[in-house]
Amino acid sequence: MFTNYFKVAFRNLIKHKGFASINILGLSIGLASAMLILFYVMDELSYDDHHKKAGQIYRISLKGRVAGQDLNIALSSVPLSEALVNDYPEVLNAVKLTFNDGIILKYKDRSFVEDRVMYADSSYAEVFTVGFIDGDPNNFMNRPNTIAITKSAAKKYFGSENPLGKMIEFGEEQTLFEVTHLIEDIPHNSHFHYDFIVPFLNSRLTQPAFDMWITNNNYTYVLLQKNFNPENLEAKFPEMIKKYVGPEFESILGTSFSEFEKSDSKWGYHLTPIKDIHLHSNLDYEIESNGSIKTVYIFSVIAIFLIVIAGINFMNLSTARSANRSKEVGIRKVVGSKKKQLIAQFFIESVLITFISLVIAILLVELALPYFNQFTNKSLSVNYFANPEILIGLVILGIVVGIFSGSYPAFYLSAFRPIKILKGSLNAVAKNSLFRNILVVFQFVITIVLFIATLVVYNQLNYINKKDVEFEKDGMVVIKRALSLGNNAKVFKENILKNSGILNASYVTTLPGEDYGNTVFVPEGLGVDEGRALWFCAADFDFAQTIGLNIEQGRYFSRDFASDSSAVVVNSAVLSTLGYGPNSIDKKLILVQGNNNIDLDIIGVTNFNFESLHHNLRPLVILLDNRVAGNLLVRVDNDKVSQSIGFLKNEWEKFVPNQPFVYSFLSNDLEMKYRNEKKTGTIFTLFSILAIVIALLGLLGLASFMAEQRTKEIGIRKVMGASVTKIIAMLSREIVFLIIISTLIAWPVAYYLMNKWLQDFAFKINLRLEIFILASVISFLLAMLTVGYRAYSAATVNPAESLRDE
């Protein structure tokens, strides 16, 4: 029985090659696209799964409100980990981590500036999973001046040599560190990465100045007992805070913790499961940029849409061809076929087409995967035979898609009554196109929504790139580790400014787009307990001119005013935060530094936005510091960029010959803040195009069938004098009506979805009408080109051929 079903199915595919080709091509593209998205989503959901105890690991973050500013940071204090282990038996272990970039490592003649250096407690390997290749796991990070190195880093420094026991010069002090462990590279799907691990004992955070509860500058992770409810531990945190944090508030800030809490302030710790960090955490001072669960949801929906669109093509073409197969159904019923046997026949045909499409889809995925990885900045790879769950999943996917695609045609065709079929009275029923029209509308609702989403994402990213942030980011070269210049910093700056390609230069502690620190400032006339936590940075006299800072009121620091040593420039958010009016030049701020409070005059106001545009403008105070700072900003002539970079490198090597010259462009660094949105936009665009291609394939097949069904009508109309244009209009009229209905449904759906997406941005575009019109016009034109092409082919056939007897 089943053999016969397959024989008939294959014969039908061969007999109707055009129909089969359109179905197989559409399903192949849809399945391949859905598989790519599925692999992407699986990768996003797999972050930190490589840790064997991942279900027990939590990160502690600080959530509170201090001096009028909310604190939502991934950092915590140094003494926290020890207190948790000592005071709470449910905490099996805890580990402190901190990360440094710009660390110089040297082995013999090989010297590199490394950005992935992690400091960790000796308990690190007891909490996290480390892939030890060589070295004693029981003696990990438990003595200073040792270093663990990943396999990739070992190859970079030592080639094929065994790295264990080798001595690496670490940092600018060139302290010798012994390589004690060789470890596997950390997987890409980890929320933090490193190439080197050194003991926390070597961190500057071990100094007494950092051993305070109210100073937050490291990351704390805890390992809890199995199946322990983290909420039960969080419930004990207020007691711990009063015990340890309270006394520091009283001794340092001169206020009791109870008074602190009464003043609209709070201090609390929160536990985040390690597996939730990548997709659900968006705090200040995250170790790396995280993903977004919204993106995962969006891409999952797109994958479903693509399969649905491809399945709708199958349904449409199958029901449209019902009249052609009606006699087959009638004869089968007359000779004794039961309804369930006919249903089985059509389902097998559908599943067969789906599995042929699935095989082609797998080949397409393998061809597309390297390019998809470039789009998404991932390193996805699929070993189908090493992962039986993937093979099983694909088989299930093929069966589900086959049944979904063939369900309506199977039940529709099997329900035909043999008497009507053999009398030839079924044609009117078979030509009933209501269901097909509903499916076409649904297809184009999806494609128009995707097009609108693509245009919105593109316009939002374009808006961010061009948004006036009150400084000129183009043409700015960033030289980090400027502290390496030491006493030569001033001379270095003077020397580079003599070059015609160097327009200006400035030393600054923190760069735009980086995480700025904050501290308490008190408005003039108020007490210390009424201060506000404001963000701050320090820069020299040339910062405003170098970066092109727009001063709205007053002026920037000047060497002509000796009093500027006790002055500040603020952004407008400071004025609103402190309750100052718009004209607040010459007002004072008090910088709270323990028992020494410093009076500072406000001499200038700017709208400088120092963060990504995900945030509203937050209050920033710029302090004057004419000494060397950690970063040197250099404005170069846009026509002499290469020449200027070469010159800067030569000058650097004159002053710091033993350290590599490393630079970046500020505009590129700032763009990295929006890489998740750019990735989303790229994938949106790619799969929106594929969705419309699949939908157009279905339209092409449907238009071909409609033209075939009306061949004689077209011939008669031509004989009676109808022009080609009129015939094309007649065949296209129905499609125009369907796209208008699709547009009316798609617009409110797209508006709701994209309005939700834009809520992640403090600065965003308006959802303008022209975006919706453009998406619909593009969809309409593409549909009309597809249908028009087939209609034109039918309209230009010689009437003698179309009217010839079959």
Side-chain angles (χ1 to χ4, degrees):
M1 179 70 73
F2 279 98
T3 305
N4 181 59
Y5 287 159
F6 278 104
K7 281 182 180 179
V8 172
F10 272 113
R11 286 170 184 168
N12 269 304
L13 291 182
I14 295 169
K15 182 179 179 182
H16 304 285
K17 297 183 183 68
F19 159 79
S21 299
I22 289 174
N23 268 329
I24 290 172
L25 182 58
L27 277 174
S28 297
I29 296 173
L31 288 169
S33 303
M35 286 166 63
L36 286 172
I37 294 175
L38 179 63
F39 295 149
Y40 176 91
V41 168
M42 288 172 60
D43 184 74
E44 287 289 290
L45 294 173
S46 70
Y47 266 67
D48 297 300
D49 274 350
H50 59 281
H51 297 298
K52 293 178 181 177
K53 302 174 184 176
Q56 299 170 249
I57 303 173
Y58 294 79
R59 185 186 68 188
I60 299 185
S61 56
L62 176 64
K63 293 193 174 184
R65 182 172 176 83
V66 178
Q69 292 293 336
D70 290 327
L71 288 179
N72 292 295
I73 62 176
L75 296 167
S76 54
S77 60
V78 169
L80 175 62
S81 59
E82 185 177 352
L84 288 167
V85 173
N86 291 338
D87 294 359
Y88 302 106
E90 58 265 38
V91 179
L92 301 179
N93 220 321
V95 60
K96 297 186 292 290
L97 303 179
T98 186
F99 296 80
N100 271 17
D101 57 5
I103 302 291
I104 298 173
L105 297 184
K106 186 176 181 181
Y107 175 72
K108 295 182 178 178
D109 60 340
R110 298 171 190 172
S111 178
F112 302 94
V113 176
E114 300 292 353
D115 290 330
R116 304 209 309 184
V117 178
M118 182 177 79
Y119 295 80
D121 283 332
S122 57
S123 56
Y124 179 80
E126 298 172 27
V127 175
F128 297 98
T129 297
V130 181
F132 289 103
I133 299 174
D134 205 350
D136 184 2
N138 297 316
N139 293 305
F140 187 68
M141 300 294 110
N142 57 2
R143 61 186 178 92
N145 295 4
T146 57
I147 188 168
I149 185 169
T150 63
K151 188 163 60 175
S152 295
K155 186 176 180 181
K156 178 169 141 183
Y157 281 84
F158 305 106
S160 58
E161 297 179 46
N162 183 356
L164 260 63
K166 299 287 195 304
M167 304 300 288
I168 289 182
E169 294 179 13
F170 187 92
E172 295 184 13
E173 300 82 9
Q174 298 181 346
T175 307
L176 291 177
F177 275 58
E178 180 188 357
V179 178
T180 55
H181 295 82
L182 177 65
I183 57 180
E184 295 283 359
D185 294 344
I186 192 164
H188 74 277
N189 54 345
S190 170
H191 79 279
F192 64 81
H193 296 84
Y194 53 76
D195 291 317
F196 307 88
I197 308 179
V198 295
F200 200 86
L201 296 168
N202 284 107
S203 169
R204 66 186 182 90
L205 300 184
T206 56
Q207 297 172 13
F210 297 102
D211 192 25
M212 299 174 62
W213 281 82
I214 62 172
T215 302
N216 299 282
N217 38 34
N218 73 278
Y219 301 91
T220 303
Y221 292 81
V222 293
L223 180 70
L224 302 186
Q225 292 175 351
K226 278 188 178 180
N227 303 318
F228 183 82
N229 187 347
E231 292 180 1
N232 294 338
L233 178 60
E234 281 188 339
K236 300 176 182 179
F237 285 162
E239 176 190 352
M240 178 182 68
I241 290 168
K242 286 181 181 179
K243 178 180 178 181
Y244 295 108
V245 181
E248 287 192 6
F249 268 90
E250 193 160 350
S251 64
I252 296 172
L253 301 180
T255 180
S256 68
F257 193 74
S258 58
E259 291 174 344
F260 166 78
E261 290 183 311
K262 289 177 184 177
S263 62
D264 188 33
S265 297
K266 57 183 178 180
W267 190 279
Y269 293 118
H270 175 69
L271 290 170
T272 303
I274 189 174
K275 292 177 67 174
D276 285 355
I277 292 174
H278 177 66
L279 291 177
H280 297 275
S281 181
N282 186 29
L283 306 179
D284 289 334
Y285 306 103
E286 292 281 359
I287 301 174
E288 296 179 14
S289 295
N290 289 329
S292 168
I293 191 64
K294 282 186 180 179
T295 302
V296 169
Y297 291 150
I298 289 168
F299 289 167
S300 299
V301 170
I302 290 175
I304 294 170
F305 280 173
L306 287 164
I307 293 175
V308 167
I309 291 172
I312 285 173
N313 283 352
F314 190 103
M315 286 187 187
N316 255 339
L317 294 178
S318 296
T319 53
R321 290 183 62 253
S322 58
N324 290 354
R325 300 197 66 178
S326 58
K327 290 183 180 178
E328 175 194 340
V329 173
I331 292 170
R332 281 177 175 272
K333 283 198 168 186
V334 167
V335 298
S337 289
K338 295 181 180 179
K339 185 176 179 179
K340 62 181 181 181
Q341 291 174 319
L342 291 170
I343 290 173
Q345 170 68 56
F346 293 121
F347 268 134
I348 285 176
E349 285 186 24
S350 175
V351 171
L352 177 63
I353 289 176
T354 303
F355 271 93
I356 293 172
S357 302
L358 189 59
V359 172
I360 297 172
I362 291 172
L363 296 175
L364 291 176
V365 166
E366 290 302 307
L367 291 172
L369 202 54
Y371 304 100
F372 186 71
N373 282 334
Q374 290 179 8
F375 275 128
T376 58
N377 295 318
K378 285 190 174 290
S379 53
L380 304 177
S381 61
V382 186
N383 190 334
Y384 299 94
F385 298 103
N387 297 284
E389 61 273 14
I390 291 180
L391 281 177
I392 294 169
L394 290 176
V395 170
I396 293 172
L397 177 65
I399 294 171
V400 170
V401 172
I403 292 174
F404 164 74
S405 303
S407 57
Y408 184 80
F411 289 106
Y412 179 69
L413 293 172
S414 63
F416 289 167
R417 297 177 62 184
I419 295 176
K420 287 188 176 182
I421 293 170
L422 298 177
K423 280 184 177 181
S425 59
L426 185 71
N427 286 344
V429 178
K431 289 179 181 177
N432 186 343
S433 59
L434 177 61
F435 184 72
R436 293 200 305 274
N437 289 345
I438 291 172
L439 294 180
V440 170
V441 167
F442 188 67
Q443 273 187 320
F444 272 88
V445 166
I446 293 173
T447 53
I448 291 170
V449 167
L450 288 177
F451 257 125
I452 291 171
T454 300
L455 292 174
V456 170
V457 172
Y458 171 80
N459 278 277
Q460 174 63 17
L461 294 178
N462 192 49
Y463 169 77
I464 286 172
N465 286 332
K466 294 182 178 178
K467 175 80 172 68
D468 185 5
V469 288
E470 301 298 327
F471 66 91
E472 298 171 13
K473 58 187 177 181
D474 295 324
M476 295 294 304
V477 175
V478 177
I479 302 176
K480 294 187 177 182
R481 300 173 34 260
L483 289 171
S484 303
L485 293 164
N487 296 328
N488 294 319
K490 183 178 179 181
V491 179
F492 178 82
K493 181 178 171 182
E494 290 173 352
N495 279 10
I496 64 173
L497 289 173
K498 293 175 183 177
N499 186 282
S500 60
I502 309 297
L503 305 180
N504 222 311
S506 170
Y507 289 108
V508 62
T509 54
T510 314
L511 298 169
E514 291 185 341
D515 291 321
Y516 282 57
N518 57 30
T519 190
V520 176
F521 292 85
V522 181
E524 183 178 1
L526 299 180
V528 173
D529 58 338
E530 298 176 276
R532 292 289 181 268
L534 308 177
W535 283 258
F536 73 95
C537 73
D540 63 15
F541 286 109
D542 302 310
F543 177 67
Q545 187 176 355
T546 301
I547 206 169
L549 193 63
N550 185 20
I551 303 296
E552 302 287 330
Q553 300 177 47
R555 60 178 178 83
Y556 189 72
F557 305 115
S558 171
R559 293 177 176 86
D560 297 332
F561 296 90
S563 59
D564 281 3
S565 59
S566 58
V568 291
V569 174
V570 301
N571 68 2
S572 56
V574 170
L575 304 184
S576 57
T577 299
L578 300 181
Y580 287 161
N583 298 313
S584 298
I585 302 300
D586 297 330
K587 288 275 190 180
K588 289 186 181 293
L589 281 181
I590 301 169
L591 173 60
V592 178
Q593 289 191 337
N595 295 323
N596 299 319
N597 298 330
I598 303 171
D599 291 344
L600 301 166
D601 295 313
I602 297 176
I603 62 169
V605 179
T606 176
N607 281 323
F608 178 42
N609 193 342
F610 58 99
E611 296 181 293
S612 77
L613 299 183
H614 289 99
H615 300 286
N616 283 310
L617 184 66
R618 295 206 276 191
L620 176 72
V621 176
I622 303 176
L623 302 164
L624 176 65
D625 189 345
N626 204 33
R627 299 168 299 178
V628 60
N631 304 288
L632 177 61
L633 282 171
V634 182
R635 179 165 295 283
V636 300
D637 188 331
N638 286 328
D639 296 327
K640 301 178 180 179
V641 174
S642 298
Q643 171 193 328
S644 300
I645 297 297
F647 171 76
L648 288 170
K649 183 176 185 295
N650 290 335
E651 288 299 306
W652 177 271
E653 290 173 349
K654 287 179 187 177
F655 285 87
V656 197
N658 60 337
Q659 296 189 22
F661 173 73
V662 180
Y663 72 95
S664 64
F665 290 98
L666 182 61
S667 56
N668 293 341
D669 294 342
L670 291 173
E671 283 181 14
M672 290 295 290
K673 296 293 177 182
Y674 309 107
R675 60 183 173 185
N676 283 333
E677 287 77 16
K678 286 195 170 186
K679 187 194 305 179
T680 302
T682 301
I683 296 177
F684 250 124
T685 303
L686 174 64
F687 290 109
S688 294
I689 292 170
L690 290 173
I692 195 74
V693 166
I694 296 168
L696 293 176
L697 279 171
L699 268 187
L700 179 63
L702 201 56
S704 299
F705 178 78
M706 290 165 61
E708 180 186 333
Q709 292 293 94
R710 302 177 75 170
T711 299
K712 285 186 171 59
E713 177 189 348
I714 293 169
I716 293 170
R717 285 180 179 273
K718 289 196 72 175
V719 168
M720 298 298 292
S723 66
V724 172
T725 304
K726 285 186 178 180
I727 292 172
I728 292 174
M730 176 192 72
L731 293 173
S732 306
R733 191 179 299 118
E734 188 177 0
I735 298 300
V736 173
F737 177 69
L738 295 178
I739 293 179
I740 291 172
I741 294 175
S742 302
T743 298
L744 294 176
I745 298 172
W747 282 16
V749 173
Y751 180 87
Y752 172 78
L753 294 175
M754 297 320 296
N755 191 51
K756 294 282 285 183
W757 181 76
L758 286 170
Q759 288 176 6
D760 287 341
F761 295 88
F763 299 88
K764 51 184 176 283
I765 61 170
N766 295 318
L767 291 174
R768 303 186 308 275
L769 181 62
E770 51 262 38
I771 292 175
F772 293 77
I773 293 174
L774 180 60
S776 297
V777 168
I778 292 173
S779 300
F780 174 78
L781 290 176
L782 290 172
M784 293 312 299
L785 282 172
T786 304
V787 175
Y789 162 75
R790 189 62 190 89
Y792 177 80
S793 300
T796 54
V797 172
N798 190 329
E801 293 182 19
S802 57
L803 296 174
R804 185 179 300 143
D805 288 335
E806 295 179 5

